[in-house]
Amino acid sequence: MSYVIRSVRAEEWAAAKELRLDALRDPVAHLAFLETYEEAVAKPDSFWRERTAGAAEGADARQQIIAEGPDGRWVATVTVLVEEPGTTDWAGFAVERKQGHLVGVFVRPEERGSGLTEVLFDAALEWAWGRGLERVRLIVHEENGRAQRFYRRVGFVPSGVTVPLGESGERELEFVLERDSVGAPLSDG
């Protein structure tokens, strides 16, 4: 693989916006993201500038990591949010310990199955563990079997916590990876 795995830079907001909009056009976006393409595309550039700067290289509260192809095109992304004990998460649940929350996982369809996701997760976990986080979690739609299989394969396990999605009756499942359960890196590079 000849990808560069790195954190975004604040001035790269336009590329971050483009990748997010592409992710929201994916056929399974309704299972993977809580935001629609229509909602995201309506946001002003100032939103994208602020969002990217807040997750850029050197930021402490969150970090967006991307995979950049040999041609410079961004082909995959994941963001790590730091959640502090004593706060409440996006779903209204109390955060009990310092943890990371992986969000915005997206790999372009033509790159799926290449091992790129494992490398991206390695970088996200390295960033999280380097911040002293005790565990990393993610939330996945109960019907997103492909994502669930991947998360299990790289060491995440269901915690038993479920998050209801409005009045639809659908729900999302929390998967976690405890820092003390981490062995070797997810991939060999």
Side-chain angles (χ1 to χ4, degrees), residues 102-164:
L102 299 183
V103 298
V105 178
F106 176 68
V107 178
R108 292 187 186 280
E110 64 274 15
E111 303 292 337
R112 294 176 187 158
S114 68
L116 184 58
T117 311
E118 288 90 341
V119 175
L120 199 64
F121 268 55
D122 276 344
L125 292 171
E126 181 180 331
W127 187 86
W129 305 145
R131 302 288 167 298
L133 305 182
E134 298 174 30
R135 74 176 190 159
V136 173
R137 70 183 188 133
L138 51 85
I139 307 292
V140 59
H141 194 281
E142 64 185 342
E143 293 180 15
N144 194 342
R146 184 187 72 203
Q148 288 182 43
R149 285 187 297 278
F150 170 76
Y151 299 144
R152 287 177 193 272
R153 190 166 45 104
V154 298
F156 285 80
V157 295
S159 70
V161 172
T162 61
V163 180

Side-chain angles (χ1 to χ4, degrees), residues 8-160:
V8 298
R9 298 178 194 104
E11 66 272 12
E12 295 175 316
W13 66 269
K17 174 184 176 181
E18 177 187 343
L19 189 60
R20 177 66 175 186
L21 294 177
D22 287 350
L24 293 171
R25 284 191 207 95
D26 190 272
V28 295
H30 67 286
L31 294 179
F33 304 106
L34 296 176
E35 175 180 47
T36 66
Y37 173 83
E38 292 75 22
E39 291 166 340
V41 77
K43 293 178 178 168
D45 287 348
S46 58
F47 168 84
W48 297 100
R49 283 185 181 98
E50 186 176 313
R51 176 183 172 135
T52 304
E57 189 173 58
D60 289 325
R62 61 187 183 271
Q63 195 78 179
Q64 182 178 3
I65 300 166
I66 54 107
E68 185 176 5
D71 61 356
R73 183 175 186 232
W74 291 9
V75 297
T77 185
V78 62
T79 299
V80 184
L81 307 176
V82 175
E83 297 177 328
E84 296 288 345
T87 62
T88 303
D89 72 8
W90 65 274
F93 294 109
V95 176
E96 297 176 1
R97 56 184 162 164
K98 190 171 183 178
Q99 63 190 14
H101 186 161
L102 299 183
V103 298
V105 178
F106 176 68
V107 178
R108 292 187 186 280
E110 64 274 15
E111 303 292 337
R112 294 176 187 158
S114 68
L116 184 58
T117 311
E118 288 90 341
V119 175
L120 199 64
F121 268 55
D122 276 344
L125 292 171
E126 181 180 331
W127 187 86
W129 305 145
R131 302 288 167 298
L133 305 182
E134 298 174 30
R135 74 176 190 159
V136 173
R137 70 183 188 133
L138 51 85
I139 307 292
V140 59
H141 194 281
E142 64 185 342
E143 293 180 15
N144 194 342
R146 184 187 72 203
Q148 288 182 43
R149 285 187 297 278
F150 170 76
Y151 299 144
R152 287 177 193 272
R153 190 166 45 104
V154 298
F156 285 80
V157 295
S159 70

Side-chain angles (χ1 to χ4, degrees), residues 156-175:
F156 285 80
V157 295
S159 70
V161 172
T162 61
V163 180
L165 290 176
E167 296 179 19
S168 68
E170 295 179 35
R171 60 194 181 127
E172 294 199 319
L173 312 173
E174 179 186 65
F175 278 60

